[in-house]
Amino acid sequence: MSELQAALLAIGLGVVIAVYIYGWWKQRQYSRKFGATFQQSHDDALYQLKTEPVAPTIVQASEPVIVNWDAMPVGAVVELPVVEDVLPVMPLAPVEPEAESMEQLNPIEAEAVAVEPCTLLDARCDFIIEVDPDQPCSAEALDGLWQRRGEFGKLVQVCGLTLNSVQWEKVAADSQSYYSKFYIAVQMVDRGGVIPLAILGQFCDLVQGIADEIHADMSFPDTNATHRNAQAIDVFCAEVDQLVGVNLLPQGERPFNAAKIAQAAALLDMKLEADGAFHLHNASGYSVITLVNHDARPFQSHTLAHFSTPAVTLLLDVPRVENPAEVFDQLVQIAQSLARTLPANLMDDHRVQLTDAALAHTRTQIVEVAAKMSARNLAPGGMQARRLFS
């Protein structure tokens, strides 16, 4: 064997190994994202109506108090129900009166109402610290925060009041503006639960250190009371956190060919994305309906022709979608269209064929979830809902 042949053989083996490693890595990413969806042992909302209508199976919890976003000053707290299995907290402070005018609002609210470009912070789900330096600062002054913001397990955001344009904007580590004031916040609640009280304390200590370095005054709400409020929000979020899935199984013994699935999905404006799933986007560009492989293996454009699967699932993440009942109607239409094209049967997770009554009952549940969220001033699919259910 010549040196040239040996070199070409080595290069070929290297390419094969690289492709294998890339495919393994993509499958691992996909499994992490969607695998938990199919491993949970929740009751199937669609299965409940296969014989006769029953009451919705949404978990009931003690009624939490959700703070009104538009009326509550940052430091205000409210009396909350007892939440089991949480860290002990200090007694709550008295309830502050509800603000009724611009003059009665806390400064962060008054400024946010007057100038709206920075609306990313919310006193219900963010722990917001006001940092007021004695001299205008750039984002570089917060270098300690940028270096450690990944340590808290929750999203850390900064809002700054610009010196020249006098407006609030989101501050990034490379922002070039100078700011006369900062609001530094950590998101307390998401699908991972509530930030631990000890971690919240570490966040406060970090910001305190930064404030000392830049000679700034610092103020923030009561840590224990705010954390207790976040626990109540988490209880409510768990109550309305609903993921609806419709399974498509082949009519017969032969599995679906992935290339045919991709063609059928493309006709329905669903696009294969980097996460290995097909997505349908709304007018705002958000994914509202997802088509995934039931066994959690990712769809990949370069393997579609040689890839088969025994089932696929259409998913609707109810709290993260605007007008979720209407989107569910769209999901059903897509499922029926795919069923005709592939062909397939619509099934629940118990492999029981879905009926019109079952689908209607699921839609009723979705309407009730959306109504509960709206009653708490938490619009399904809105910015805050997408943050809380992330």
Side-chain angles (χ1 to χ4, degrees), residues 308-324:
S308 61
T309 178
V312 292
T313 302
L314 285 163
L315 294 174
L316 167 60
D317 197 344
V318 176
R320 291 175 57 85
V321 173
E322 296 179 9
N323 304 312

Side-chain angles (χ1 to χ4, degrees), residues 72 78 86-87 113 118 122 150 154 206 216 287 298 309 351 358 387:
M72 190 196 82
V78 293
V86 296
L87 295 172
V113 170
C118 185
D122 189 298
K154 301 293 182 185
L206 172 62
S287 175
T309 178
R351 294 180 177 266
R387 293 180 62 208

Side-chain angles (χ1 to χ4, degrees), residues 91-109:
L92 298 179
V95 177
E96 295 185 13
E98 182 173 294
E100 296 179 353
S101 66
M102 181 70 75
E103 291 75 15
Q104 292 175 297
L105 291 174
N106 182 278
I108 186 174
E109 288 191 315

Side-chain angles (χ1 to χ4, degrees), residues 8 48 66-67 72 84 108 139 185 221 230 278 307 315 332 360-361:
L8 291 174
Q48 299 297 328
I66 303 299
V67 182
M72 190 196 82
E84 300 295 337
I108 186 174
F278 297 90
F307 179 27
L315 294 174
V332 172
H361 177 60

Side-chain angles (χ1 to χ4, degrees), residues 212-346:
D212 293 342
E213 289 180 2
I214 63 177
H215 306 289
D217 294 328
M218 187 179 89
S219 60
F220 53 90
D222 180 88
T223 306
N224 290 293
T226 306
H227 187 264
R228 183 68 173 270
N229 287 349
Q231 290 172 330
I233 294 171
D234 187 53
V235 170
F236 173 73
C237 288
E239 180 183 347
V240 298
D241 194 359
Q242 301 291 308
L243 181 67
V244 174
V246 172
N247 301 311
L248 290 94
L249 278 70
Q251 292 180 357
E253 299 298 326
R254 297 184 63 181
F256 296 131
N257 176 262
K260 189 172 183 179
I261 293 172
Q263 293 171 358
L267 293 175
L268 298 166
D269 295 325
M270 301 190 77
K271 298 180 179 180
L272 179 59
E273 299 187 2
D275 61 358
F278 297 90
H279 292 262
L280 180 71
H281 296 265
N282 63 11
S284 301
Y286 293 121
S287 175
V288 292
I289 297 173
T290 309
L291 178 66
V292 301
N293 186 10
H294 191 71
D295 64 10
R297 288 180 297 162
F299 291 107
Q300 298 174 329
S301 57
H302 64 282
T303 63
L304 290 175
H306 311 289
F307 179 27
S308 61
T309 178
V312 292
T313 302
L314 285 163
L315 294 174
L316 167 60
D317 197 344
V318 176
R320 291 175 57 85
V321 173
E322 296 179 9
N323 304 312
E326 296 179 11
V327 177
F328 177 71
D329 293 339
Q330 191 175 10
L331 182 149
V332 172
Q333 293 175 1
I334 289 174
Q336 292 170 341
S337 177
L338 290 173
R340 290 190 295 268
T341 303
L342 292 177
N345 294 316
L346 305 187

Side-chain angles (χ1 to χ4, degrees), residues 143-157 185-186 195 199 202-203 206:
D143 185 58
L145 177 71
W146 307 128
Q147 292 182 14
R148 295 185 53 194
R149 59 181 171 175
E151 297 179 7
F152 306 103
K154 301 293 182 185
L155 180 65
V156 173
Q157 300 188 90
V186 60
I195 187 171
I199 300 298
Q202 294 174 16
F203 175 75
L206 172 62

Side-chain angles (χ1 to χ4, degrees), residues 6-18:
L8 291 174
L9 179 60
I11 292 172
L13 288 174
V15 171
V16 171
I17 293 172

